[in-house]
Amino acid sequence: MIPDRPLEVLKAIVRDYIASKEPVGSKSLVERHSFGVSAATIRNDMAILEEEELIVAPHTSSGRVPTDKGYRMFVDQLSEVKPLSAAEKVAIEGFLSKSSDLDETLSQTVRALSQLTNQVALVQYPSLGRASVRHIEIISIDDKRLLLMLITDSGRIQQHVLDIPGGYEAGDVEKLRNMLNESLTGKGLAEVSAIAKTIAQKSTGKIKPLAERVTPELLALVDANSQEKILLAGTSNLARREDDFPGSISPVLEAIEEQVVLLKLISEMQADQHGVSLLIGRENSVDALSSTSVVISGYENQGSEIARVGVIGPTRMDYSSNIGAVRAVARYLTKSLGGSQ
Amino acid sequence: MIPDRPLEVLKAIVRDYIASKEPVGSKSLVERHSFGVSAATIRNDMAILEEEELIVAPHTSSGRVPTDKGYRMFVDQLSEVKPLSAAEKVAIEGFLSKSSDLDETLSQTVRALSQLTNQVALVQYPSLGRASVRHIEIISIDDKRLLLMLITDSGRIQQHVLDIPGGYEAGDVEKLRNMLNESLTGKGLAEVSAIAKTIAQKSTGKIKPLAERVTPELLALVDANSQEKILLAGTSNLARREDDFPGSISPVLEAIEEQVVLLKLISEMQADQHGVSLLIGRENSVDALSSTSVVISGYENQGSEIARVGVIGPTRMDYSSNIGAVRAVARYLTKSLGGSQ
DNA sequence: ATTGGCACTCAGATCCATTGAGTGCTAATA
DNA sequence: TATTAGCACTCAATGGATCTGAGTGCCAAT
């Protein structure tokens, strides 16, 4: 479709623009790269690119800037992404090796990724989807309160404090816990709801009131667990890129803080050839994010993809290194979760 | 010290400046407020205020702007703060009544506060200081892994997954848990360290290796618990106030994301007459925050102050309503924690 | 102590000329 | 046919120069 040299010109324009943040013109292009042709020829090529809407001129007589479509073609042409430096690898490993607690692992991961990329980093909590119950625990706190815990095989732990106004007996709690674990351990979260209800109904005698108090809370925990959640880090990195945003950054920050929106966005994305998924500029459906790009990869727990991790930044970002970093972090995360979780 | 009318003039200047964001001059002052004197007289008063460094002129011939010292005098003169509207009260109660889980309560509180004030809101997790062990739990996850939990009386729950490469026996775990709870429940966190070590030493036979594996992790949990932690919400509210900051907001955002700095800042603050503590502009020691003010109040759990909650925003903020909101939220939080935690 | 009057200041808006990077087009060239 | 040199043209950005008006400080009068 598009001849060879013009394509090279496009790549050069993207790279120069990312580096310099100035619209790039034919002359500076020929002197920075060795195309072996004159500026006039480059201009002809640029005319082709403009025809294809891959680049655009901010004003009649000035250099060109890549369009979303231009960036898209650029990344699709990327044959290899920038690998992490040894130092960066060490840094990630150091971050991730410290902990085997899911909360901590994720929060360290997201911080590491944001420092690595100088962008806003995000990580999605493992979603319930295929998660199942690993263990249910009921702990006595004092004579009128219990702590109910749900542990899923994705490593997520959720707890809730229950008031039992009438008090309870230790033996009953023990029995209920055993009942719950026997019937629920290993079951998918989706099944829990139905099973738990029958337990409440089937239980008899002294246990019944306790069961009827506990099971609804258990369901609430399952629900809370299915509420997808995102962890953010490095919001100020966006602010530092202030002038990459027309008008003000504030709507962008708002949109990013809006979990629901972000979740929808990243859950619709599908990995491409590099194991990462990209949305560039207006390719995403959120208006406030029309001048940002999102780089996402999935991470896995025990072989099945469970959630995503990535960065979000101005369209004018260094795609190559960001893709590399996101991919690497996703891999380390998978490794770290598979190993000790 | 400062005569009556000039003081009134100062208040008017602060209020007008907060509302209009423009330096305020003598003429607009006399027409917006009824001082019963002429502009020239106001000018004389303003000269006094300027002499006292309560106001300052951005450039030789323009209106005046309050200095940090001016804001300080203004808030110290505040006899009453703006009470919350009925709707706002309902909103807070709705937010807080939903949950008895500490994590959730705090995260909802901080979100509520940020929406109420349109500022960045922050809440400090209950600090260990006077916290003590409520319960220690060890849960079997599978045959090679245990989940260790520490629950403090401030309601904070901390957990960690332990690999036990050699496996373990259920009975041993049971015994160890009982030992730990007997000797540690009710003890202050500071004491835990010493006691736990003697347990590891005193334990004999089969339990010893397990105890030696578990107690260090328990200490690590205590340490993690003593790491103070802050929850933030509404960062984008700062961005919306962009032009209240000279240069760029990005260093401000960075400073706010720096937990250590913030913690130091708020832990040094002491409540004043309104039950709130204020730092205005350069009164705080963090350079990047020199054009922000911090409004903080303490909240309590079972009668003793345990941590703080507040907002941070541009010096040019509506002190009256922010103080009101922070104070109210702190009270609701205390109530909510005292009641169900 | 307060006020009207007045000369003075200075940030910000408006207008204008200049500059220069960059373009599109054309005619010549390989 | 693809490339190139040359040239006229465009237009954002820059830097005065000028104007305006809100606001001041000060003084003499009340």
Side-chain angles (χ1 to χ4, degrees):
Chain A
M1 180 80 191
I2 292 178
D4 237 33
R5 203 192 40 231
L7 206 56
E8 288 307 313
V9 172
L10 172 62
K11 289 187 194 174
I13 290 176
V14 171
R15 268 191 277 265
D16 282 13
Y17 181 60
I18 284 174
S20 75
K21 166 177 218 145
E22 300 293 332
V24 10
S26 54
K27 196 173 155 210
S28 64
L29 221 39
V30 291
E31 66 194 27
R32 222 181 316 237
H33 305 72
S34 6
F35 283 109
V37 294
S38 80
T41 311
I42 297 295
R43 278 205 288 282
N44 292 333
D45 293 344
M46 284 164 82
I48 299 176
L49 295 173
E50 191 154 27
E51 183 66 26
E52 294 292 329
E53 297 186 311
L54 294 165
I55 57 177
V56 79
H59 24 265
T60 315
S61 76
S62 188
R64 309 303 166 84
V65 161
T67 61
D68 290 354
K69 200 175 158 195
Y71 284 121
R72 165 55 65 190
M73 175 143 303
F74 173 78
V75 300
D76 287 347
Q77 294 284 332
L78 266 187
S79 55
E80 56 179 12
V81 301
K82 202 182 290 174
L84 295 189
S85 72
E88 289 171 328
K89 284 183 190 165
V90 170
I92 298 183
E93 301 217 1
F95 259 119
L96 292 189
S97 64
K98 277 187 204 145
S99 160
S100 61
D101 174 336
L102 180 72
D103 278 322
E104 223 172 306
T105 305
L106 293 187
S107 99
Q108 276 166 357
T109 301
V110 73
R111 250 175 294 175
L113 185 54
S114 104
Q115 289 195 5
L116 223 49
T117 57
N118 274 311
Q119 308 286 355
V120 179
L122 55 90
V123 59
Q124 177 188 17
Y125 264 68
S127 67
L128 93 159
R130 301 152 217 122
S132 58
V133 175
R134 179 185 278 162
H135 190 78
I136 290 167
E137 187 63 41
I138 310 179
I139 298 172
S140 144
I141 294 182
D142 58 33
D143 60 348
K144 285 200 171 21
R145 284 185 297 169
L146 294 174
L147 177 68
L148 175 65
M149 297 184 50
L150 168 68
I151 307 173
T152 67
D153 65 349
S154 61
R156 196 157 168 186
I157 299 171
Q158 222 126 4
Q159 72 252 332
H160 191 78
V161 177
L162 271 74
D163 284 309
I164 313 286
Y168 58 88
E169 282 182 29
D172 297 344
V173 170
E174 178 90 25
K175 271 190 206 160
L176 182 59
R177 178 180 49 203
N178 291 339
M179 282 174 61
L180 289 173
N181 273 303
E182 271 165 32
S183 36
L184 293 175
T185 302
K187 294 286 189 295
L189 290 192
E191 307 168 71
V192 168
S193 153
I195 302 177
K197 274 180 200 153
T198 66
I199 291 182
Q201 287 164 1
K202 279 193 305 188
S203 64
T204 53
K206 286 192 308 166
I207 291 195
K208 189 159 179 119
L210 190 61
E212 280 174 344
R213 176 80 183 87
V214 169
T215 49
E217 297 291 344
L218 185 58
L219 297 188
L221 281 194
V222 170
D223 268 4
N225 211 324
S226 71
Q227 264 206 6
E228 317 245 344
K229 190 176 156 190
I230 286 184
L231 223 50
L232 283 178
T235 332
S236 60
N237 287 332
L238 245 196
R240 204 176 303 125
R241 301 233 178 343
E242 236 168 317
D243 21 334
D244 272 330
F245 298 97
S248 146
I249 25 163
S250 123
V252 183
L253 280 171
E254 275 170 48
I256 288 180
E257 282 187 357
E258 202 52 65
Q259 300 238 343
V260 190
V261 175
L262 261 195
L263 275 166
K264 180 152 179 293
L265 200 65
I266 66 174
S267 56
E268 284 167 356
M269 297 173 69
Q270 294 296 334
D272 71 355
Q273 78 270 24
H274 294 297
V276 272
S277 171
L278 278 229
L279 281 182
I280 296 171
R282 292 194 183 281
E283 287 176 5
N284 85 64
S285 50
V286 185
D287 232 39
L289 299 183
S290 61
S291 44
T292 64
S293 288
V294 190
V295 185
I296 290 291
S297 182
Y299 67 89
E300 302 174 3
N301 184 5
Q302 289 147 353
S304 58
E305 172 173 328
I306 48 172
R308 319 234 158 146
V309 56
V311 299
I312 178 166
T315 345
R316 194 184 74 77
M317 63 161 64
D318 181 342
Y319 290 95
S320 180
S321 15
N322 285 338
I323 291 174
V326 167
R327 197 173 54 178
V329 166
R331 279 186 192 152
Y332 279 110
L333 191 50
T334 296
K335 203 169 96 191
S336 156
L337 290 178
S340 74
Q341 210 38 249
Chain B
M1 180 79 189
I2 292 176
D4 240 33
R5 202 194 40 234
L7 206 56
E8 288 308 313
V9 172
L10 172 62
K11 290 187 194 172
I13 291 176
V14 171
R15 268 191 279 264
D16 282 12
Y17 181 61
I18 285 174
S20 74
K21 165 179 219 146
E22 299 294 330
V24 10
S26 53
K27 198 175 154 208
S28 64
L29 264 181
V30 292
E31 68 194 25
R32 221 183 316 240
H33 305 72
S34 7
F35 282 109
V37 293
S38 79
T41 311
I42 296 296
R43 277 206 288 283
N44 292 333
D45 293 345
M46 285 164 82
I48 299 176
L49 295 173
E50 191 155 27
E51 183 66 26
E52 294 293 329
E53 297 186 312
L54 294 166
I55 57 177
V56 80
H59 25 265
T60 317
S61 77
S62 187
R64 308 302 165 86
V65 160
T67 61
D68 290 352
K69 201 175 157 196
Y71 283 121
R72 167 55 65 189
M73 176 143 303
F74 173 78
V75 301
D76 287 348
Q77 294 285 330
L78 266 187
S79 54
E80 56 180 11
V81 301
K82 203 182 287 176
L84 295 190
S85 73
E88 289 172 328
K89 284 183 191 164
V90 170
I92 298 182
E93 301 217 0
F95 259 119
L96 291 189
S97 64
K98 276 185 204 145
S99 159
S100 62
D101 175 336
L102 180 73
D103 279 323
E104 224 173 305
T105 305
L106 292 187
S107 99
Q108 277 166 358
T109 300
V110 73
R111 251 175 292 175
L113 185 54
S114 104
Q115 289 195 5
L116 224 50
T117 57
N118 276 309
Q119 308 286 353
V120 179
L122 55 91
V123 59
Q124 176 187 18
Y125 263 67
S127 67
L128 92 159
R130 299 152 220 124
S132 58
V133 175
R134 178 185 278 162
H135 190 79
I136 290 168
E137 188 64 42
I138 310 179
I139 297 173
S140 142
I141 292 181
D142 57 33
D143 60 348
K144 286 201 169 23
R145 283 185 296 169
L146 294 174
L147 178 68
L148 175 65
M149 298 184 49
L150 169 68
I151 307 173
T152 67
D153 65 348
S154 62
R156 197 158 168 185
I157 300 170
Q158 221 125 6
Q159 72 251 333
H160 191 78
V161 177
L162 270 75
D163 284 308
I164 312 285
Y168 57 88
E169 282 182 31
D172 297 344
V173 170
E174 178 89 27
K175 271 189 205 159
L176 180 60
R177 177 180 50 203
N178 291 340
M179 284 174 59
L180 288 174
N181 272 302
E182 271 165 34
S183 37
L184 292 175
T185 303
K187 294 286 190 293
L189 290 192
E191 308 167 70
V192 168
S193 152
I195 302 178
K197 273 181 200 152
T198 65
I199 291 182
Q201 287 165 1
K202 278 194 305 189
S203 63
T204 52
K206 286 192 307 167
I207 291 194
K208 191 162 177 114
L210 190 61
E212 280 174 345
R213 176 79 183 86
V214 169
T215 49
E217 297 291 342
L218 185 58
L219 297 187
L221 281 194
V222 170
D223 267 3
N225 211 325
S226 71
Q227 264 206 6
E228 317 245 344
K229 189 176 156 192
I230 285 183
L231 224 50
L232 283 178
T235 332
S236 61
N237 286 330
L238 245 196
R240 204 177 301 124
R241 301 234 178 340
E242 236 167 318
D243 21 334
D244 272 331
F245 298 96
S248 147
I249 25 162
S250 123
V252 183
L253 279 171
E254 273 170 48
I256 287 180
E257 281 187 359
E258 201 51 65
Q259 301 239 343
V260 190
V261 175
L262 261 195
L263 275 166
K264 179 151 180 293
L265 200 64
I266 67 174
S267 55
E268 283 168 356
M269 298 172 68
Q270 294 297 333
D272 70 355
Q273 78 269 26
H274 295 295
V276 247
S277 171
L278 276 230
L279 280 182
I280 296 170
R282 292 195 182 280
E283 286 176 6
N284 84 64
S285 49
V286 184
D287 233 39
L289 299 182
S290 62
S291 45
T292 65
S293 288
V294 190
V295 185
I296 290 289
S297 183
Y299 67 89
E300 302 174 1
N301 184 5
Q302 290 146 352
S304 59
E305 173 172 328
I306 47 173
R308 321 237 156 142
V309 56
V311 299
I312 178 165
T315 345
R316 194 184 74 78
M317 63 161 66
D318 181 343
Y319 291 94
S320 182
S321 14
N322 285 337
I323 291 174
V326 167
R327 196 173 53 178
V329 166
R331 281 188 192 151
Y332 279 109
L333 191 51
T334 297
K335 205 169 93 189
S336 156
L337 290 178
S340 74
Q341 209 40 247

